[in-house]
Amino acid sequence: MARKKTQAYTEEFRREAVKRAEQEGNTTASVARDLGISAQQIYNWRRQFTRLSEKQFNSVAGVDYSKNESDELRQLKRRNAELEKELAFLKKAAAYFANQHE
């Protein structure tokens, strides 16, 4: 029995189809109908692109981190900056009160 040959779409075509389906006023079904493909195919492509973007790596100071690690790094840097401000304030307060008792 002959196997049905499937159409191979370019990545650009697939990304454009997903992008059009996500635009306001368009439905996935209408975009699929316009392009002559099934709506399920667009849903599959959207899921694939979402998975890819989650696995991509970000670079911070020349070091590659996963998305989760990058988020954690940003949070830690933010917390570090807050603690540095707090420390600077406490040093000033300690110096102020030390001068009052002299």
Side-chain angles (χ1 to χ4, degrees):
M1 186 174 228
R3 191 169 182 193
K4 183 179 177 184
K5 186 175 180 179
T6 59
Q7 174 69 38
Y9 298 102
T10 65
E11 183 175 351
E12 181 181 348
F13 177 85
R14 291 180 286 159
R15 286 194 185 278
E16 184 62 29
V18 170
K19 188 174 167 183
R20 284 179 56 188
E22 291 175 345
Q23 288 177 345
E24 192 172 326
N26 286 342
T27 64
T28 302
S30 68
V31 172
R33 193 171 35 255
D34 292 345
L35 297 175
I37 58 177
S38 81
Q40 186 60 47
Q41 187 63 63
I42 294 176
Y43 290 123
N44 291 342
W45 291 338
R46 181 181 295 143
R47 189 174 61 246
Q48 287 172 352
F49 292 138
T50 301
R51 284 185 187 155
L52 282 176
S53 67
E54 289 172 357
K55 291 179 182 177
Q56 287 175 340
F57 287 87
N58 299 328
S59 179
V60 177
V63 179
D64 287 338
Y65 295 95
S66 72
K67 187 175 186 316
N68 291 338
E69 289 172 331
S70 294
D71 290 343
E72 183 181 3
L73 180 62
R74 276 192 289 279
Q75 288 173 348
L76 290 172
K77 284 185 176 186
R78 192 176 309 121
R79 179 68 177 141
N80 190 35
E82 291 171 5
L83 291 173
E84 286 176 350
K85 288 179 185 177
E86 188 177 323
L87 179 62
F89 171 79
L90 291 173
K91 283 182 181 179
K92 288 179 186 177
Y96 174 80
F97 288 116
N99 287 337
Q100 271 191 341
H101 292 294
E102 289 180 5

